[in-house]
Amino acid sequence: ELMLRAQGSKVIVWPDEAPIKTNSGLFLPESVIKTKCTGLVQSVGSKVTDVTVGDRVAFEDNAGHRVQDNGITLIILGIDEILGRQAA
């Protein structure tokens, strides 16, 4: 369970992992692995009305603040940093 809770107009997202292997089975070096810019919403602040926990959202690769919570990397995004969403 997360210790961190979103406040105000913030959303906490668990980012999807980028693939480390190609479809044909080749492992990619770390230098070419890009961060996936999608993730699953874990917590929403009280001022957020159009995103809910469980939605999948898209954001830019440099958006938000990356933090650790119980060994899990999470991203805290402002609602204006979310480019799109897929409802749960």
Side-chain angles (χ1 to χ4, degrees):
E1 179 161 331
L2 294 181
M3 302 290 287
L4 209 54
R5 297 283 180 241
Q7 299 293 308
S9 61
K10 302 294 184 192
V11 175
I12 298 178
V13 175
W14 185 352
D16 295 330
E17 291 191 23
I20 59 171
K21 193 165 57 165
T22 65
N23 290 341
S24 61
L26 298 174
F27 284 93
L28 299 169
E30 284 189 34
S31 60
V32 299
I33 296 174
K34 287 190 137 189
T35 304
K36 275 200 110 168
C37 299
T38 58
L40 191 63
V41 175
Q42 300 295 308
S43 177
V44 297
S46 60
K47 295 182 181 178
V48 177
T49 58
D50 51 349
V51 176
T52 59
V53 172
D55 287 354
R56 187 160 300 284
V57 294
F59 49 89
E60 297 210 26
D61 62 349
N62 59 349
H65 300 281
R66 280 156 177 75
V67 296
Q68 292 281 324
D69 184 24
N70 287 337
I72 299 170
T73 299
L74 300 167
I75 302 174
I76 301 173
L77 297 169
I79 192 65
D80 59 331
E81 294 179 294
I82 295 175
L83 304 175
R85 78 175 179 98
Q86 178 182 16

